[in-house]
Amino acid sequence: MSATPQKNRASRRVLAAAAGLATVGALVAAMPAGAHDRGHGHGGGHGHGHKPRTVDVQLLSFNDLHGNLEPPAGSAGNVSETQPDGTVKAIPAGGVEYLATSLRTARKGNPYSVTAAGGDMVGASPLLSGLFHDEPTIEALNGLDLDVTAVGNHEFDEGATELARLQNGGCHPVEGCYEKGKKFKGADFPYLAANVTKEKTGKPLLKPYTVWKKNGVKIGFIGVTLEGTPDIVTANGVKGLKFHDEVETINKYARELDRKGVKSIVALIHEGGAPASTSYNYDCDSPGAGDGISGPIVDIAKGITPKVDALVTGHTHQAYVCTVPDPSGKPRMVTSASSFGKLYTDTTLTYDRRTNDIVRTSVKSANHIVTRDQPKAPDMTRLIDRWNKLAAPIANKPQGWISADINGRGSTAPEKPLGNVIADAQLEGLAPADKGGAEVAFMNPGGIRADLVHKASGSEGDGVVTYGEAFTVQPFTNMMNVVDLTGAQLVTALQQQVSGPNEASPKILQVSKGLTYTLDLTKSGADRVVAGSIKLNGEAIDPARTYRVAMNEFLAGGGDGFPALGQGTNKLVGASDLDLFNAYLAAHSTATAPLAPPATDRITVIQ
């Protein structure tokens, strides 16, 4: 989810250490009468050598891969599927070896097929990709035959210069080339960033759009990231850049494409919504078009010009295939394929050769699971093996032991077991007077990227936590800060979890042991945090007293909608979050006495 940000410091780290079950497709409306008579569905000749009037273009799409080349471990690698009897089943999914097979299988028999993505292909990546500044993922996406992607907020984690390198190629400016005699080639698909401009010149940072063409069929793709990207990426990542309104930008470039004769347009938007159910096969058009989805994408969809025929979205890591009415009141397809390569969306766009436009009434779409019971793509297996060999000396070092899964990303509760472990690790590491004198620690939930999984990921044995697994949980390698905040600022910060920019989609901070309070979800806004219930080590927070508070540099900069945390003074910079996490695992676990999942009793939730 909105995830967070942050600088990849691989160099310092290294030195220091189809598949498819059918879904409920959203069929917008009945196909126009006679569509099949006009050769609908094939794009081949019909009858007397005349080209059929319409041709079906297959649009395959996915989003928020985040460098997950290997299947995501634990609950973060599952997709929820509602069964005919109403029960929900968890199905293991994802991994580029299976995603490649799924996409290649889906393309068979579709002469007109284009593959697009909704951003966050890289960033917050597991060690296999993150250690090499995501070069392995770009290489994999080239192999998947991705045609185009929007930028997401995470494409800016390491700044505009690094994003340009991922697009254009060239070895890393600090670490050089990772393989002898091999220069990184860059992405052979365009990254689109229509709403990102350079402050100095006002010119777009990257291409705003691209036009896919085949046999006279032309489809324009416009790519944008969320306007709020600067709020969820470190300041260095977005330095010198301006982020503009998604709707205004898309409408501007849709007019430009239209003037150029490109009438079929798809918007790739790194912003999303929240369906009423987490099951990928939930019908979010029940009872009416788009009734089952909420969040920022709904208003965006309602504002985008009818010239745009479909919206591929992302960012919220949710799965949905909905129709949201456009400004003229006509339904329009809005899709998202979860995250980490666990799903892909297959959308049929019926292209009318006479108008050069999409027949919107026949657009249909469905999400499909990237199941792990299909053959692996051998080229992707080779790619993973090659990079794993380079990563192995660092990745396989044991850091600690756990007695069972400790859920972070895979937990839907406000207070996550792994969130408690991370916050406790930060408090313990920074409590000594010479390390900052921290009394309490806060961890942003979006920065917890995975679960700690008991089952072995390689040959290390069950229960062993390797450096690679710890890195996958905390991939940003943020420096820790300890600052002075007043009790009043602390209370305000906790209220900002559920108010202001976080009101519609709360971001519940993970808190260290000793801090307790009540979260009353029956109330609205800041009142959801019951101010009188906030205690530290059993004592009410004193608004006038100064507290020493530990958090990562992203939160200390006011990131994720927490301006109160950005008001800290008397800052001390400590070790990285990952170093503290690994030190805590080493100090609190052995092979014979592994770390158990902690109780989640710090936040009392009233539903």
Side-chain angles (χ1 to χ4, degrees):
M1 298 216 161
S2 90
T4 347
Q6 303 138 332
K7 305 175 201 91
N8 210 329
R9 294 195 179 77
S11 50
R12 194 179 63 227
R13 282 197 302 275
V14 176
L15 294 169
L21 302 167
T23 70
V24 181
L27 186 55
V28 180
M31 282 194 301
H36 281 287
D37 305 334
R38 299 196 298 268
H40 177 91
H42 297 290
H46 230 27
H48 308 287
H50 295 303
K51 274 188 175 173
R53 173 155 171 191
T54 64
V55 53
D56 277 0
V57 177
Q58 177 189 53
L59 170 62
L60 300 175
S61 56
F62 56 97
N63 51 277
D64 296 275
L65 181 65
H66 289 288
N68 278 265
L69 302 180
E70 295 175 296
S75 56
N78 290 338
V79 169
S80 296
E81 181 181 66
T82 301
Q83 305 301 301
D85 64 359
T87 57
V88 176
K89 185 177 173 186
I91 299 171
V96 293
E97 294 159 296
Y98 303 112
L99 180 59
T101 300
S102 287
L103 294 175
R104 289 163 188 172
T105 304
R107 288 177 190 136
K108 284 177 185 165
N110 289 284
Y112 293 83
S113 184
V114 56
T115 304
D120 276 7
M121 295 295 98
V122 300
S125 306
L127 189 77
L128 176 60
S129 188
L131 191 62
F132 306 106
H133 294 277
D134 285 310
E135 288 181 23
T137 297
I138 297 295
E139 193 181 310
L141 292 169
N142 288 343
L144 289 175
D145 292 322
L146 183 63
D147 290 295
V148 57
T149 183
V151 292
N153 52 290
H154 281 280
E155 264 82 14
F156 294 93
D157 283 352
E158 294 188 56
T161 307
E162 175 63 3
L163 174 55
R165 186 183 77 89
L166 291 181
Q167 176 72 85
N168 302 319
C171 295
H172 193 269
V174 176
E175 292 172 45
C177 302
Y178 293 111
E179 295 176 288
K180 208 172 176 182
K182 266 194 181 178
K183 186 181 167 191
F184 174 57
K185 290 179 181 152
D188 61 15
F189 51 88
Y191 259 115
L192 303 181
N195 66 331
V196 186
T197 57
K198 297 175 192 170
E199 271 178 358
K200 279 185 182 164
T201 63
K203 289 188 171 149
L205 175 70
L206 295 167
K207 285 173 70 164
Y209 60 78
T210 190
V211 181
W212 178 85
K213 299 173 185 169
K214 183 168 181 182
N215 297 343
V217 172
K218 289 188 295 190
I219 298 179
F221 288 88
I222 303 167
V224 298
T225 186
L226 71 156
E227 187 183 4
T229 291
D231 303 329
I232 52 174
V233 173
T234 47
N236 278 346
V238 293
K239 203 172 174 183
L241 302 176
K242 277 191 89 167
F243 291 77
H244 304 271
D245 182 86
E246 304 95 339
V247 174
E248 286 172 18
T249 304
I250 291 168
N251 289 352
K252 170 183 155 183
Y253 287 112
R255 286 193 297 275
E256 190 171 309
L257 282 166
D258 188 58
R259 282 198 302 274
K260 289 183 171 180
V262 179
K263 308 292 183 187
S264 298
I265 302 171
V266 174
L268 308 174
I269 307 172
H270 191 70
E271 178 60 290
S277 162
T278 55
S279 291
Y280 84 96
N281 55 344
Y282 162 70
D283 180 5
C284 58
D285 281 341
S286 174
D291 284 346
I293 187 169
S294 59
I297 199 62
V298 178
D299 286 337
I300 290 172
K302 286 177 177 172
I304 290 173
T305 171
K307 291 183 197 300
V308 174
D309 299 294
L311 278 53
V312 171
T313 73
H315 187 55
T316 57
H317 292 203
Q318 303 297 308
Y320 48 84
V321 172
C322 306
T323 54
V324 177
D326 70 13
S328 70
K330 292 191 178 120
R332 176 170 52 196
M333 196 63 75
V334 179
T335 68
S336 173
S338 183
S339 64
F340 301 171
K342 294 181 287 190
L343 296 178
Y344 72 92
T345 314
D346 189 337
T347 303
T348 302
L349 302 171
T350 301
Y351 184 92
D352 186 328
R353 290 182 185 276
R354 198 173 298 169
T355 63
N356 297 327
D357 206 349
I358 301 300
V359 183
R360 281 257 296 274
T361 48
S362 8
V363 175
K364 54 186 183 291
S365 188
N367 273 328
H368 300 279
I369 301 183
V370 176
T371 58
R372 298 185 198 165
D373 57 3
Q374 58 186 321
K376 295 179 178 182
D379 57 328
M380 293 295 155
T381 304
R382 287 193 298 274
L383 182 150
I384 288 169
D385 289 349
R386 211 179 84 233
W387 288 102
N388 261 333
K389 274 198 190 82
L390 289 172
I394 295 160
N396 297 339
K397 279 184 184 161
Q399 304 297 314
W401 290 263
I402 55 174
S403 64
D405 288 2
I406 305 179
N407 282 349
R409 194 79 192 178
S411 166
T412 54
E415 181 184 350
K416 305 170 193 310
L418 189 50
N420 288 356
V421 172
I422 291 169
D424 288 353
Q426 295 176 353
L427 177 63
E428 184 170 294
L430 300 170
D434 62 333
K435 303 283 193 225
E439 300 168 83
V440 64
F442 291 135
M443 175 64 196
N444 52 311
I448 305 169
R449 304 304 300 184
D451 302 335
L452 275 187
V453 178
H454 185 263
K455 186 173 164 43
S457 59
S459 57
E460 76 275 13
D462 290 351
V464 178
V465 180
T466 64
Y467 184 88
E469 289 165 340
F471 178 94
T472 298
V473 168
Q474 295 243 270
F476 298 117
T477 320
N478 266 324
M479 300 313 288
M480 292 300 299
N481 290 181
V482 186
V483 299
D484 283 349
L485 286 171
T486 64
Q489 287 169 323
L490 264 186
V491 172
T492 300
L494 289 171
Q495 290 172 331
Q496 285 169 349
Q497 301 177 108
V498 289
S499 62
N502 293 330
E503 178 155 10
S505 181
K507 289 196 181 83
I508 305 303
L509 295 166
Q510 305 299 289
V511 299
S512 54
K513 65 184 175 205
L515 187 78
T516 55
Y517 70 93
T518 298
L519 184 65
D520 187 348
L521 298 177
T522 65
K523 296 185 171 154
S524 61
D527 291 342
R528 292 179 194 164
V529 172
V530 182
S533 71
I534 306 170
K535 292 179 180 171
L536 184 59
N537 301 322
E539 288 185 17
I541 294 286
D542 177 355
R545 196 197 131 190
T546 296
Y547 294 84
R548 291 292 283 165
V549 184
M551 62 194 113
N552 61 45
E553 61 193 325
F554 171 68
L555 275 180
D560 257 357
F562 290 98
L565 295 180
Q567 294 166 358
T569 56
N570 195 17
K571 176 168 80 172
L572 183 139
V573 177
S576 76
D577 51 9
L578 181 61
D579 287 346
L580 292 181
F581 184 46
N582 283 330
Y584 186 86
L585 290 170
H588 291 271
S589 68
T590 63
T592 52
L595 181 69
T600 49
D601 53 7
R602 301 171 190 183
I603 305 171
T604 303
V605 181
I606 300 171
Q607 301 272 16

